[in-house]
Amino acid sequence: MTKNQIHRARPWPGFPTSKGLGSFGDANCMEQLLVHCANAIESNDATLAQQILWVLNNVAPPDGDSNQRLTCAFLRALIVRASKSGTCKMLAAMANAHCNLSIDIHTFSVIELASFIDLTPWHRFGFTAANAAILEAVEGYSVIHIVDLSLTHCMQIPTLIDAIANRLEGPPLVKLTVAGGATEDVPPMLDLSYQELGCKLVHFARSRNVALEFQAIPSSYADGFASLIEQLRVQHLVYAESGEALVINCHMMLHYIPEETLSSLSNVNSNPYSFESSSTQSLRTMFLNALRVLDPAIVVLVDEDADLTSNNLVCRLRSAFNYLWIPYDTVDTFLPQGSKQRQWYEAGICWKIDNVIAHEGLQRVERLEPKSRWVQRIQNAGFRRVNFGEGTISEVKTMLDEHAAGWGLKKDEDDLVLTWKGHNVIFATTWVPA
């Protein structure tokens, strides 16, 4: 069964022909169809699932408008989920034949990734807000140790080095530590090792008259970056006595650390932190408690403002659908149809949808939490929130002026939130030990 044959296939009894499918094109209706399909798959009702999938396949072409492409990505993920269960043999056949099921994730060069990130505020918002807050927090320190837990492979760091180089009191010594190999299996992918990336950053810093020391500590989000935390803990007394400023910069990385919905799995329920007293807490809570022990000068958290933690497939689907329409809606403002960069961009969103919908257990790593829940976690770990200054807000607004008019900025309590057409997208929040 080829892709074209799937599109030409006749509907099951009781379902309209393709000419009568216009009423199904509304985003709310597409969401309801996806929900009904997910329920059918979960209840092993193969006939109903196949009927709904036929309708979805006809109303959501992969080259349609933003809502159609969004729905197509969810359709693909549901087919993958159904085929993996082994109960829907027809769906397994569709999965093997449907040429859109494989996701071609691009591996970026450093230059490609830097240019790609500059296209949209999705990451630039966090870079701008975090860098301004970090510069203010480390003012006057002669040694700055930055622990960069970032999904974007240190793409934030060159701009920060530029700003540090221009300090009135002269540039400090900068130590940069990353979790080597932490996101090897998560887009965006980079075509060089962290050792090679570190060499490039050291050379760049030298060109700005900034001394940079780089280290990559093999560490994984799967155990809450336990090996990284342990090495930082060992070094803690040394940098504490020398007046070194420790900066923890978390950019869209912490939501990969397992949270409470995985606590029933035995290999996650163990305690990787030898110095933690409780093994009943989630790894996210334990990680934040471990950070508090390190007494950092500042902790910056930037992440996507959505909730994808539910163990209920339908709840997760609804939440993902009502958040991930945003990247599909925004792409038309900065990338033309058919461009390679657009293919890379949408493949990354498809990967996220596939992970949220088609996978369970440890394989489901996209576990976003909303800002409110992170705020509560960080407060409980013994941190207090720090206000973003007017200078930071001005810098973020200037950056947003370079992009489409739909992007906006709002202040929520002491945090900053990037919005698209009034909807929350990304949040940035900064903390110091209480």
Side-chain angles (χ1 to χ4, degrees):
M1 199 175 191
T2 67
K3 176 185 173 185
N4 289 334
Q5 286 173 322
I6 291 174
H7 278 285
R8 291 198 302 269
R10 299 301 300 165
W12 276 260
F15 278 76
T17 63
S18 57
K19 291 182 179 180
L21 292 174
S23 61
F24 289 97
D26 174 75
N28 291 330
C29 186
M30 288 181 177
E31 180 186 354
Q32 288 304 314
L33 284 170
L34 289 169
V35 166
H36 290 316
C37 185
N39 279 323
I41 290 170
E42 292 302 274
S43 61
N44 296 325
D45 189 339
T47 301
L48 178 59
Q50 287 163 197
Q51 291 174 337
I52 301 172
L53 284 169
W54 182 89
V55 176
L56 286 167
N57 197 70
N58 278 274
V59 300
D63 56 352
D65 63 26
S66 59
N67 285 326
Q68 289 173 321
R69 300 196 311 279
L70 171 69
T71 303
C72 182
F74 276 88
L75 164 64
R76 178 206 168 281
L78 285 171
I79 292 174
V80 172
R81 183 183 181 93
S83 66
K84 287 167 63 176
S85 70
T87 57
C88 300
K89 300 301 182 184
M90 175 63 179
L91 296 179
M94 288 178 68
N96 290 329
H98 201 300
C99 59
N100 276 347
L101 288 185
S102 61
I103 303 174
D104 186 15
I105 297 297
H106 180 67
T107 300
F108 290 87
S109 69
V110 170
I111 293 175
E112 281 179 339
L113 184 56
S115 300
F116 187 73
I117 285 172
D118 275 347
L119 291 171
T120 166
W122 202 273
H123 291 293
R124 290 190 71 199
F125 160 75
F127 290 0
T128 305
N131 283 351
I134 291 169
L135 284 171
E136 186 174 338
V138 301
E139 186 176 350
Y141 283 91
S142 59
V143 182
I144 302 171
H145 185 183
I146 303 168
V147 179
D148 189 41
L149 297 175
S150 172
L151 189 64
T152 58
H153 308 288
C154 298
M155 290 296 110
Q156 174 182 341
I157 300 302
T159 307
L160 182 57
I161 289 174
D162 265 335
I164 288 173
N166 294 323
R167 286 203 326 182
L168 292 176
E169 65 268 36
L173 167 65
V174 178
K175 299 177 181 179
L176 178 62
T177 298
V178 300
T183 57
E184 288 178 342
D185 53 348
V186 177
M189 314 289 194
L190 200 60
D191 70 350
L192 76 169
S193 70
Y194 265 96
Q195 286 70 29
E196 293 170 310
L197 177 62
C199 288
K200 289 181 179 293
L201 288 169
V202 168
H203 288 307
F204 174 81
R206 188 177 300 143
S207 73
R208 301 298 193 270
N209 295 316
V210 174
L212 175 67
E213 298 176 0
F214 179 90
Q215 65 171 340
I217 299 174
S219 196
S220 171
Y221 56 77
D223 65 357
F225 301 106
S227 57
L228 172 66
I229 291 292
E230 177 63 19
Q231 185 148 337
L232 292 173
R233 185 184 70 85
V234 171
Q235 298 172 357
H236 173 57
L237 291 178
V238 177
Y239 69 67
E241 293 174 0
S242 65
E244 181 176 302
L246 177 63
V247 173
I248 310 294
N249 183 58
C250 307
H251 184 91
M252 301 192 188
M253 179 81 84
L254 296 197
H255 71 259
Y256 293 105
I257 299 175
E259 33 63 66
E260 286 78 1
T261 59
L262 278 174
S263 61
S264 61
L265 299 177
S266 58
N267 55 342
V268 175
N269 204 30
S270 59
N271 185 352
Y273 298 103
S274 58
F275 53 94
E276 284 278 351
S277 60
S278 173
S279 61
T280 60
Q281 300 169 323
S282 75
L283 282 175
R284 290 188 188 183
T285 297
M286 294 165 66
F287 172 81
L288 292 170
N289 288 342
L291 287 189
R292 179 61 185 85
V293 174
L294 297 174
D295 198 31
I298 188 171
V299 175
V300 183
L301 173 61
V302 174
D303 218 321
E304 297 164 323
D305 198 4
D307 187 357
L308 302 181
T309 59
S310 176
N311 280 331
N312 181 280
L313 174 63
V314 169
C315 289
R316 216 162 58 236
L317 186 152
R318 285 190 182 279
S319 184
F321 190 88
N322 285 287
Y323 177 72
L324 292 173
W325 69 271
I326 296 172
Y328 277 101
D329 195 50
T330 63
V331 70
D332 290 325
T333 67
F334 62 89
L335 286 173
Q337 286 188 351
S339 69
K340 286 185 177 180
Q341 286 183 317
R342 182 159 173 155
Q343 293 172 15
W344 303 342
Y345 178 88
E346 295 198 359
I349 312 170
C350 283
W351 185 94
K352 187 186 290 280
I353 292 170
D354 181 82
N355 190 266
V356 170
I357 301 301
H359 298 272
E360 292 294 348
L362 294 174
Q363 287 70 47
R364 179 162 62 83
V365 298
E366 286 288 346
R367 295 174 177 268
L368 291 171
E369 286 189 306
K371 180 176 81 73
S372 58
R373 203 176 300 162
W374 278 113
V375 166
Q376 191 61 55
R377 285 187 187 277
I378 301 172
Q379 285 177 336
N380 291 345
F383 291 92
R384 66 174 176 84
R385 195 192 254 133
V386 180
N387 203 354
F388 284 98
E390 290 303 317
T392 301
I393 295 172
S394 178
E395 284 188 50
V396 172
K397 287 180 177 178
T398 299
M399 181 274 296
L400 291 179
D401 287 341
E402 302 173 18
H403 298 279
W407 292 106
L409 175 69
K410 74 177 185 182
K411 197 166 183 180
D412 184 10
E413 297 179 317
D414 290 329
D415 308 321
L416 296 183
V417 179
L418 176 70
T419 64
W420 173 254
K421 297 180 179 179
H423 298 271
N424 288 11
V425 184
I426 313 289
F427 68 87
T429 182
T430 56
W431 301 80
V432 296

